Amino acid sequence: MGMLKRWLPASGGGTRLLHTSAAVGEQAGGEQAEGAPDRKTSSYRGVDWHKDSLAWRAWLWDPKTKRLKNIGTYTSEEDAARAYDYAAVEMHGPECTDRNFPDEVVSEPPVSLGDEMRERKTSDFIGVCWHTGVLAWQVQLWDPQAKRRQHIGTYASEEDAARAYDYATVKMHGPGYTKRNFPDEVISEPPAARGRKPRRER
């Protein structure tokens, strides 16, 4: 089983291992989370795989607060590594060499998934909304029998989420139901959902 490693600055320079945890990208019982990369650990400093959002996350140790600072989550592992480098230079100055790409000058940090979606928290599709906790499009459908919302899943693509809603609503109300996002499409199979069910936002 692969292990997730996090590193902290060590006295006298260099880094020391903070802790290890279960292999990234795995669900309970050792099952691989859908969408997780084949490589379960990152070779880059300050980068790990976040299975809830299915993205690469960048961390940096803050010596003032004595805590790990969450820099952001990124689709690309390299973007997460460069985000770490940028934050490290911002915190420790340009002389900081504890970086993933010490020969590069990162003038601007890569755009995180959170920043990409910050201005777009709503969807034009029925039954679709942006879930900030898992950084994905969430689908919910009102169940008239249970008189509550039914969680359908979370999706990387807004269009996949919309089609998942259509599939679920046809299963619930029948093929004659027209209050759908793509009423002219016949969706024989629902799009694959991401990760696990998100926690309810408060």
Side-chain angles (χ1 to χ4, degrees):
M1 177 181 293
M3 302 298 289
L4 169 62
K5 299 178 180 179
R6 290 181 182 166
W7 301 85
L8 303 181
S11 57
T15 56
R16 63 182 175 87
L17 181 63
L18 172 64
H19 69 272
T20 59
S21 64
V24 290
E26 283 189 352
Q27 296 176 338
E31 295 181 0
Q32 182 75 3
E34 184 174 355
D38 293 335
R39 184 172 48 152
K40 297 175 182 178
T41 58
S42 174
S43 59
Y44 292 113
R45 187 188 307 275
V47 176
D48 65 27
W49 176 254
H50 190 246
K51 63 182 180 181
D52 286 348
S53 57
L54 295 179
W56 293 101
R57 181 171 52 179
W59 295 92
L60 178 64
W61 176 257
D62 188 335
K64 291 184 179 179
T65 63
K66 296 183 179 180
R67 292 182 179 180
L68 283 169
K69 180 181 179 181
N70 183 5
I71 299 167
T73 52
Y74 304 83
T75 303
S76 162
E77 186 181 5
E78 288 73 19
D79 279 352
R82 287 183 171 88
Y84 172 90
D85 287 1
Y86 181 86
V89 170
E90 283 282 294
M91 182 178 292
H92 301 294
E95 67 279 0
C96 174
T97 57
D98 245 0
R99 290 180 281 157
N100 295 297
F101 305 100
D103 297 329
E104 287 188 15
V105 177
V106 184
S107 57
E108 291 185 3
V111 178
S112 69
L113 288 174
D115 290 337
E116 284 182 3
M117 299 308 304
R118 189 157 302 176
E119 297 179 358
R120 191 183 181 189
K121 295 182 180 179
T122 60
S123 173
D124 293 329
F125 292 114
I126 304 169
V128 178
C129 67
W130 178 252
H131 193 288
T132 57
V134 296
L135 296 177
W137 293 101
Q138 182 180 12
V139 180
Q140 292 183 327
L141 176 65
W142 177 256
D143 187 336
Q145 292 185 346
K147 294 183 179 179
R148 61 180 177 85
R149 292 182 185 179
Q150 178 182 343
H151 173 79
I152 307 301
T154 54
Y155 303 84
S157 161
E158 189 179 4
E159 288 74 18
D160 279 353
R163 288 183 170 88
Y165 173 89
D166 286 3
Y167 180 86
T169 198
V170 168
K171 290 277 288 186
M172 181 178 291
H173 300 292
Y177 194 76
T178 57
K179 193 176 180 181
R180 291 181 279 158
N181 295 298
F182 305 100
D184 297 328
E185 289 188 14
V186 177
I187 303 173
S188 56
E189 292 184 4
R194 294 180 57 175
R196 62 189 182 189
K197 181 179 177 180
R199 298 172 183 171
R200 181 180 298 176
E201 291 186 304
R202 297 181 180 178

